[in-house]
Amino acid sequence: MGAMSASDTKNQIRRVLFIWGVLTLLYFFITWVLMQFATHTTQERIFAALSTTVTYSIIAVSLGQNVMRQIDATNRALQASIARQRETEAKLRQELAERQRTEETLRRINAELDALNVTTLGLINRLNPEELLKEIVGKAAALMNTPHGFLYVVEPEQQELVLRVGIGRYAQHIGHRLQRGQGMPGTVWKTGEPMVLDDYSQWSKRQPGFEWARAQVCLPLRSDLEIVGVIGLVYLEPERRFGKEEVELLGRLGQLASLARENARLYDETRTELKERQRAEQRLKETLKEIERAQTKAHAILDAATDSMMLLAPDQTILSVNRSFCEHFFGNDPREVVGHQLADYQAELQRVFDQPRAFQDLIDHTIADPAQSLVQIIVQRAPSHRELQLFSTPVRTRSDEHLGRLYVFHDVTKEREVDRMKSEIVSMVSHELRTPLTSIKGYVDLLQAGEVGDLAEEQRKFLDIVKTSTDRLVELINELLDLSRIEAGRVELKCKALDLAPVIHQVANTMHPQIRAKQQQLTLDLPPDLPPVWGDPDRVIQILTNFVSNAHKYTPAGGSITLTARGAGDQVRVDVTDTGIGLSKEDQAQLFSKFFRAENRATQGVMGTGLGLAITRSLIEMHGGAVWVESEPDKGSTFSFSLPLAPGAIEQETPIP
Ligand code: ADP
């Protein structure tokens, strides 16, 4: 507009100057015509007027030119100003567009943040995970301006994808299933990579029933490294596309969806665990009540018993004692004793038992043994003299866990007194029987030797029977005498430092013919550095012979017997193991008592008195050792005994010839 008016002004000025020029020329012409007819004075005046006019004309022209120049300058300035203005205007327009773009981005970021925020809050507040997944898909769809979206989750058992959340056109397909590699979600599950299609309806692997979909984006949902689902959005309008930004945004929301699924899984797991724990707690409470009831009952029964009882843990912690135990041994309340170590009552044990060391040894030997039962006589000296039959057996829980050992102290003072009296009588009668038996045996020998004439075949047969029976009677009487002498305390040991290896070899040699006759195998396992024991050689031979003879008798033909000796602390332990008929638990509990013979078919055919083990045990105990057995019917037995080491570095005696 400004430029237009400037050129107009210039044109007008030009027009004025032109008219001015024409008028001046006309004026000059009129003046020239007048000059022809005018007087000199008039001419002079005309001339003066003319010169004035010329002067004015020149002034007017120069003024006009000046004005024109000024107008040009103004015009140029004006144009420059317009150009600047245009530039500013363009800049402003650019800034405006940029601001609009920024505003749009901000609006979008805001919506995105809002979606992330809502989802995160949902996660924190443990919104129903299914609802949260639905919310995530809804938000993602809203951000991308589409109403159609879905979320498939992996079902590990079936190895399938199942449509768990569907909005828009996908709502009607909830529950739809896809195999690995099938359709777009199945492909994403297989490859683990995001996937974008500009037109799903043209895709070769499109799924029937979903051909209405155009642009589609799918992303894997991961938990740790594993794919747990696939999230996707869809446009139905052919012209719309998913760009890089959309994929990134969906990726962010997808991460939240993964978290939501992971949360849901952890939540379910924790809930199941909690329920399981509550159930276990309840069960525990019930069990505890049951235990309490059982304990009360057990205590009542135990306290009513006259025998003294003690239950010891393998580390010798006292687990339980009854009233009788405390009354007879410690003189205090059972509740004070429980939980203490047996060693805490050393002073009491020293005071109460006749041989406290042997008692402690017996406990030390047996406590960790989860199998063997044991019966042994111990003597109490205070507060009154009593002879006690100590029965010990391992105790197991219902779940077969080794709890410890029960020690039962049964007062056998009176029985033992009667026994001793019986022994005296037996000893006397045996002694009286032995003299006539010896003469019968002598005469039978004479008859068999043919000293009084030849014998008929039948006579010889009868004499053989008389001899066998007499031998059995002599053996029985000898054993009876032996036992009664031991029980009456009339046997004295002649102990010395004794090297066991030669003694064992001697016993093995003596037994060898019988063992070979039964096709049995005898193996000796003796270390070269076996320390000497403190023992009576004759009695140690008797002990070993009894064990090896029993192993031979109660092991079928072709079986094997192993004799092992080892140093164990301040003792030497000897094991006689056989592969024989074995013994039941009940029989084991009665072993070592007089005249006991196990009632099985295998024993019935074997000659025996049932006195051997009773004598053997007494002899071992007299040495300060212990004896025990481990056995299983039809598998075999191990009879073990221990003897104390010879004190100090005693010169080894030459073994008995
Ligand atoms: P005897 O052998 O004279 O019968 P013992 O006192 O030596 O008497 O043994 C008592 C019982 O113990 C035997 O009758 C037998 O039933 C059982 N017994 C002893 N040793 C064994 C063994 N090694 N294997 C199986 N049972 C045995």
Side-chain angles (χ1 to χ4, degrees):
M1 264 265 285
M4 281 295 287
S5 59
S7 76
D8 282 356
T9 315
K10 271 171 77 180
N11 286 341
Q12 269 173 5
I13 290 169
R14 263 189 217 113
R15 235 175 279 137
V16 167
L17 285 177
F18 178 74
I19 294 165
W20 180 278
V22 172
L23 286 176
T24 307
L25 284 177
L26 200 66
Y27 176 70
F28 279 156
F29 179 71
I30 294 166
T31 309
W32 180 72
V33 172
L34 285 177
M35 286 273 271
Q36 303 297 319
F37 304 102
T39 60
H40 184 72
T41 323
T42 311
Q43 276 184 337
E44 272 181 354
R45 276 192 202 138
I46 288 169
F47 197 74
L50 192 67
S51 61
T52 308
T53 307
V54 167
T55 308
Y56 280 134
S57 292
I58 290 167
I59 289 169
V61 167
S62 69
L63 268 175
Q65 273 179 337
N66 226 2
V67 168
M68 289 266 284
R69 264 199 300 278
Q70 269 180 12
I71 283 172
D72 271 351
T74 312
N75 198 20
R76 270 199 304 278
L78 209 60
Q79 271 177 348
S81 149
I82 286 166
R84 271 201 304 278
Q85 215 164 315
R86 277 207 187 121
E87 227 170 79
T88 316
E89 237 176 47
K91 258 189 203 157
L92 275 175
R93 225 173 284 131
Q94 208 175 332
E95 264 173 31
L96 193 70
E98 234 162 63
R99 196 169 300 170
Q100 274 170 345
R101 260 201 309 279
T102 314
E103 260 175 35
E104 179 55 35
T105 315
L106 278 174
R107 234 195 323 274
R108 197 178 162 133
I109 289 173
N110 193 27
E112 205 177 301
L113 282 176
D114 180 50
L116 294 175
N117 189 29
V118 167
T119 319
T120 315
L121 276 178
L123 271 175
I124 293 166
N125 294 335
R126 294 214 179 284
L127 211 87
N128 176 349
E130 292 291 320
E131 285 298 316
L132 191 60
L133 287 178
K134 208 167 175 181
E135 174 106 16
I136 291 169
V137 177
K139 289 275 175 200
L143 279 172
M144 312 244 182
N145 222 355
T146 174
H148 314 287
F150 56 78
L151 193 144
Y152 281 85
V153 296
V154 173
E155 287 204 338
E157 295 91 46
Q158 279 83 30
Q159 274 296 301
E160 272 181 341
L161 279 175
V162 59
L163 186 70
R164 190 57 61 74
V165 178
I167 57 167
R169 292 286 283 267
Y170 288 89
Q172 55 188 308
H173 294 284
I174 285 183
H176 178 249
R177 286 175 181 273
L178 285 172
Q179 302 290 316
R180 206 182 171 84
Q182 192 183 9
M184 206 168 152
T187 309
V188 169
W189 180 24
K190 192 175 169 187
T191 59
E193 294 297 326
M195 189 172 170
V196 184
L197 285 179
D198 287 345
D199 191 351
Y200 179 83
S201 64
Q202 297 303 309
W203 190 44
S204 58
K205 283 163 77 180
R206 67 187 172 273
Q207 287 294 298
F210 293 87
E211 292 88 351
W212 34 263
R214 290 291 181 268
Q216 186 162 326
V217 57
C218 277
L219 268 114
L221 305 180
R222 292 174 195 277
S223 160
D224 293 333
L225 287 176
E226 209 182 327
I227 293 178
V228 292
V230 177
I231 188 168
L233 291 176
V234 174
Y235 290 139
L236 301 192
E237 304 78 6
E239 69 285 354
R240 296 182 68 186
R241 298 278 180 271
F242 288 102
K244 199 169 151 257
E245 263 178 40
E246 277 86 353
V247 175
E248 277 170 10
L249 173 59
L250 193 61
R252 280 196 290 279
L253 282 158
Q255 276 169 2
L256 286 177
S258 306
L259 268 178
R261 274 218 40 86
E262 184 63 8
N263 247 16
R265 195 182 59 76
L266 289 176
Y267 183 61
D268 280 354
E269 257 176 31
T270 318
R271 251 196 359 205
T272 322
E273 217 171 87
L274 193 72
K275 272 193 193 149
E276 191 51 49
R277 201 169 291 176
Q278 279 169 343
R279 272 201 293 275
E281 232 168 66
Q282 188 57 32
R283 279 200 299 272
L284 203 68
K285 272 188 198 154
E286 279 162 20
T287 316
L288 273 177
K289 265 192 204 154
E290 229 171 74
I291 289 173
E292 260 173 38
R293 276 197 294 273
Q295 250 181 357
T296 316
K297 266 194 238 168
H299 275 136
I301 295 168
L302 288 179
D303 285 344
T306 48
D307 288 349
S308 306
M309 296 180 206
M310 168 175 71
L311 181 62
L312 264 191
D315 67 349
Q316 300 199 12
T317 304
I318 301 171
L319 298 176
S320 177
V321 286
N322 69 347
R323 201 162 291 285
S324 162
F325 183 91
C326 285
E327 275 168 15
H328 284 108
F329 302 133
F330 294 173
N332 55 0
D333 194 283
R335 279 168 299 184
E336 288 173 24
V337 180
V338 170
H340 282 277
Q341 291 278 302
L342 187 63
D344 297 344
Y345 292 96
Q346 269 310 317
E348 282 80 354
L349 296 179
Q350 293 285 340
R351 182 171 47 82
V352 166
F353 291 113
D354 196 36
Q355 288 187 312
R357 169 84 201 278
F359 174 73
Q360 186 59 56
D361 283 353
L362 184 132
I363 301 273
D364 293 345
H365 265 111
T366 51
I367 190 67
D369 195 317
Q372 142 221 349
S373 298
L374 156 144
V375 184
Q376 192 157 332
I377 298 294
I378 58 169
V379 179
Q380 184 181 356
R381 65 165 174 232
S384 58
H385 174 86
R386 294 200 306 159
E387 284 176 40
L388 303 166
Q389 186 185 50
L390 172 59
F391 169 74
S392 167
T393 188
V395 179
R396 310 193 76 82
T397 60
R398 258 194 220 171
S399 52
D400 211 31
E401 193 187 326
H402 179 55
L403 191 68
R405 285 188 83 89
L406 177 69
Y407 295 88
V408 182
F409 303 79
H410 178 59
D411 187 347
V412 289
T413 318
K414 283 205 184 91
E415 289 97 312
R416 297 266 293 177
E417 190 50 45
V418 174
D419 265 5
R420 260 192 296 276
M421 281 157 67
K422 272 198 291 187
S423 298
E424 284 297 323
I425 298 166
V426 169
S427 168
M428 202 183 70
V429 173
S430 315
H431 198 76
E432 291 306 314
L433 276 174
R434 208 155 63 158
T435 323
L437 258 177
T438 317
S439 71
I440 293 172
K441 217 170 117 57
Y443 282 111
V444 170
D445 286 345
L446 274 178
L447 284 170
Q448 278 188 322
E451 299 281 332
V452 285
D454 286 341
L455 296 174
E457 190 52 37
E458 204 161 5
Q459 287 170 325
R460 200 172 284 282
K461 229 164 81 189
F462 288 170
L463 268 182
D464 279 348
I465 296 169
V466 174
K467 181 157 170 33
T468 314
S469 304
T470 324
D471 283 348
R472 278 188 72 180
L473 266 176
V474 171
E475 188 195 341
L476 177 67
I477 285 166
N478 280 341
E479 284 191 344
L480 276 173
L481 265 176
D482 218 0
L483 191 64
S484 57
R485 276 216 300 272
I486 290 170
E487 284 179 346
R490 280 195 276 119
V491 169
E492 262 188 39
L493 297 180
K494 296 182 189 82
C495 284
K496 52 184 165 185
L498 182 63
D499 197 351
L500 269 186
V503 178
I504 291 172
H505 277 291
Q506 187 190 342
V507 173
N509 287 339
T510 315
M511 292 295 301
H512 192 246
Q514 301 169 47
I515 291 173
R516 204 185 31 200
K518 218 173 162 184
Q519 292 97 46
Q520 289 167 333
Q521 174 94 25
L522 175 65
T523 312
L524 305 185
D525 176 9
L526 311 170
D529 55 350
L530 193 64
V533 297
W534 189 243
D536 179 331
D538 291 336
R539 295 305 186 177
V540 173
I541 287 178
Q542 189 181 347
I543 294 165
L544 280 165
T545 308
N546 186 259
F547 284 129
V548 178
S549 155
N550 277 352
H552 156 71
K553 282 198 292 183
Y554 302 111
T555 299
S560 56
I561 302 161
T562 311
L563 223 151
T564 315
R566 293 276 182 277
D570 56 358
Q571 310 243 321
V572 168
R573 171 182 168 157
V574 181
D575 296 317
V576 183
T577 305
D578 62 54
T579 56
I581 57 173
L583 288 152
S584 66
K585 282 264 171 276
E586 299 76 48
D587 286 344
Q588 287 176 44
Q590 295 186 67
L591 270 183
F592 305 105
S593 42
K594 278 179 280 178
F595 300 109
F596 170 76
R597 301 202 75 210
E599 300 241 327
N600 50 40
R601 262 185 289 124
T603 324
Q604 276 158 22
V606 181
M607 259 202 345
T609 59
L611 287 173
L613 284 180
I615 296 171
T616 306
R617 188 184 63 177
S618 299
L619 289 174
I620 291 169
E621 284 171 3
M622 281 167 69
H623 276 87
V627 60
W628 62 96
V629 64
E630 271 176 51
S631 184
E632 219 180 305
D634 300 325
K635 293 246 168 91
S637 317
T638 296
F639 281 81
S640 310
F641 69 95
S642 60
L643 291 175
L645 287 187
I650 296 163
E651 269 182 70
Q652 290 190 10
E653 299 268 335
T654 334
I656 0 83

